[in-house]
Amino acid sequence: MANLVYKRVSTDQQSTDRQNLVLHEAGSEDPVVFEEQAGTSSRLHPLERPKFGELLTYARPGDTVHISEMFRLVRGTGHILDVLDVLHRDQVALRIHDGASSAMNLTARHPRTGELLSTVKFMVQTLAAAGELQRDLQRELTYDGLRAAEAKGNKGGRRPAVPADKTDTVRTAYLEGRSIAALARDHDVSRGAIRTAVADLLPEHRAVDPDAPAPELPVTLDMPGKVDDFLRAAELDDVERAALDQGVTVRRGQGYTLRVSAIPAVHRQLLYRCQPLDGTRGIPVVPAQRKARREYETRVSALVE
């Protein structure tokens, strides 16, 4: 009987240090570790995550899945119940080592019906809903804080990797012939950070043409939550990822939509990225996901070219 450890972090700026500590203290014998790629969103259903899928394929009856906290595995009530059904089917136990659910046997079933015990189901739903509420409140407070900062003239988002007091030095060195790679080493930052600091000095930078057509203006569209869930796990460029990160979540019953403000070209590119939800590229069709993509397609198609 194997001990299968599952770990996940939501952004590539986070680490698994805390999870490692909790799981180490649990003392699982000869653990087999499955760790998602950094930045795997909690919005992506656990059964659709690559490493958790590998874990389920590897698991055998009698094995136990170990996680540090419930939210490392699931986001909402629907997710946890789906996961518990699969683990029950495969005769695999689940052990959570920290948080309110750590003292519960989440896989307890009625001895005759085989269904999840009603008390366990109630507690699981309550704890998952409370966790989801906490994350939504944090997101709303963050959004309100950014709006308040913008009203005072402060710009939200990450601070530039090259500090303002060093930007002139970097630009001068670049004009004197210093390479981007060398400047990145000198200032211990990425090449992308240097390119951002000297963007208007680069050979490919184009001067503003007064006769050129006006740039596209941002358009706000509601993106169905299932489309957002898919795109969070997809390969996106920086502009597309920023459009999602800056979107505003709007709760709608059991689901949500993401209110995305971006130029039409970005909306069209995001629509192209989620094309697999229509059943292309060998990905099985999930009717709800296909419907969500087509709703987004209708909204994007309505944009004026």
Side-chain angles (χ1 to χ4, degrees):
M1 295 183 183
N3 291 305
L4 313 180
V5 169
Y6 178 75
K7 296 187 286 186
R8 181 193 64 82
V9 291
S10 298
T11 71
D12 54 11
Q13 282 77 44
Q14 295 175 313
S15 74
T16 58
D17 291 348
R18 184 180 184 283
Q19 296 176 67
N20 295 338
L21 176 62
V22 171
L23 293 166
H24 175 73
E25 290 176 345
S28 301
E29 185 178 353
D30 298 326
V32 181
V33 178
F34 296 84
E35 183 176 339
E36 298 287 359
Q37 182 177 357
T40 301
S41 172
S42 62
R43 291 178 176 174
L44 183 63
H45 198 295
L47 300 180
E48 297 176 1
R49 297 178 197 158
K51 287 299 179 181
F52 192 66
E54 290 182 17
L55 182 151
L56 293 176
T57 302
Y58 182 92
R60 295 294 180 268
D63 290 351
T64 300
V65 177
H66 298 266
I67 58 176
S68 57
E69 302 100 348
M70 180 186 286
F71 68 85
R72 299 297 179 187
L73 178 61
V74 297
R75 173 181 174 84
T77 56
H79 289 188
I80 183 61
L81 295 178
D82 290 344
V83 169
L84 291 178
D85 284 342
V86 171
L87 295 179
H88 174 66
R89 179 199 67 193
D90 296 343
Q91 301 179 45
V92 176
L94 174 64
R95 183 77 170 85
I96 301 174
H97 292 279
D98 197 17
S101 53
S102 59
M104 298 171 53
N105 178 9
L106 298 179
T107 52
R109 300 271 169 166
H110 193 281
R112 289 186 293 277
T113 66
E115 295 181 351
L116 194 67
L117 288 179
S118 57
T119 52
V120 173
K121 185 175 182 179
F122 171 77
M123 290 301 298
V124 166
Q125 290 176 323
T126 301
L127 292 171
E132 189 170 4
L133 174 62
Q134 181 184 22
R135 287 189 296 274
D136 288 342
L137 288 173
Q138 288 174 337
R139 186 181 301 108
E140 291 172 5
L141 290 172
T142 299
Y143 176 72
D144 290 343
L146 290 173
R147 291 291 298 274
E150 289 174 1
K152 294 180 179 179
N154 298 323
K155 185 178 179 182
R158 297 181 184 176
R159 295 180 179 179
V162 179
D165 59 347
K166 293 185 178 180
T167 299
D168 289 342
T169 302
V170 169
R171 291 168 63 84
T172 300
Y174 178 76
L175 289 173
E176 291 174 349
R178 191 77 171 155
S179 71
I180 288 177
L183 287 169
R185 290 194 297 271
D186 292 346
H187 295 274
D188 195 24
V189 296
S190 68
R191 297 184 184 185
I194 299 297
R195 291 183 68 86
T196 299
V198 301
D200 60 317
L201 305 177
L202 297 174
E204 61 266 29
H205 177 74
R206 298 179 181 178
V208 176
D209 182 357
D211 297 324
E216 291 184 305
L217 297 177
V219 178
T220 300
L221 294 181
D222 282 355
M223 175 187 291
K226 293 186 182 299
V227 173
D228 179 42
D229 289 344
F230 176 82
L231 290 174
R232 294 285 178 178
E235 293 292 333
L236 305 179
D237 63 28
D238 292 343
V239 174
E240 295 163 352
R241 183 71 62 185
L244 294 184
D245 290 344
Q246 294 169 12
V248 179
T249 300
V250 180
R251 307 305 305 180
R252 299 197 182 282
Q254 295 297 317
Y256 75 98
T257 60
L258 187 71
R259 191 152 291 164
V260 179
S261 294
I263 61 174
V266 173
H267 281 296
R268 288 191 287 270
Q269 187 62 22
L270 289 171
L271 177 64
Y272 172 77
R273 299 284 193 190
C274 63
Q275 193 174 22
L277 296 181
D278 259 349
T280 59
R281 306 178 191 175
I283 296 180
V285 176
V286 178
Q289 292 179 331
R290 179 171 58 186
K291 179 181 178 182
R293 183 193 181 276
R294 292 182 178 177
E295 288 178 1
Y296 184 49
E297 182 177 24
T298 299
R299 295 165 188 166
V300 174
S301 299
L303 296 174
V304 177
E305 296 290 342

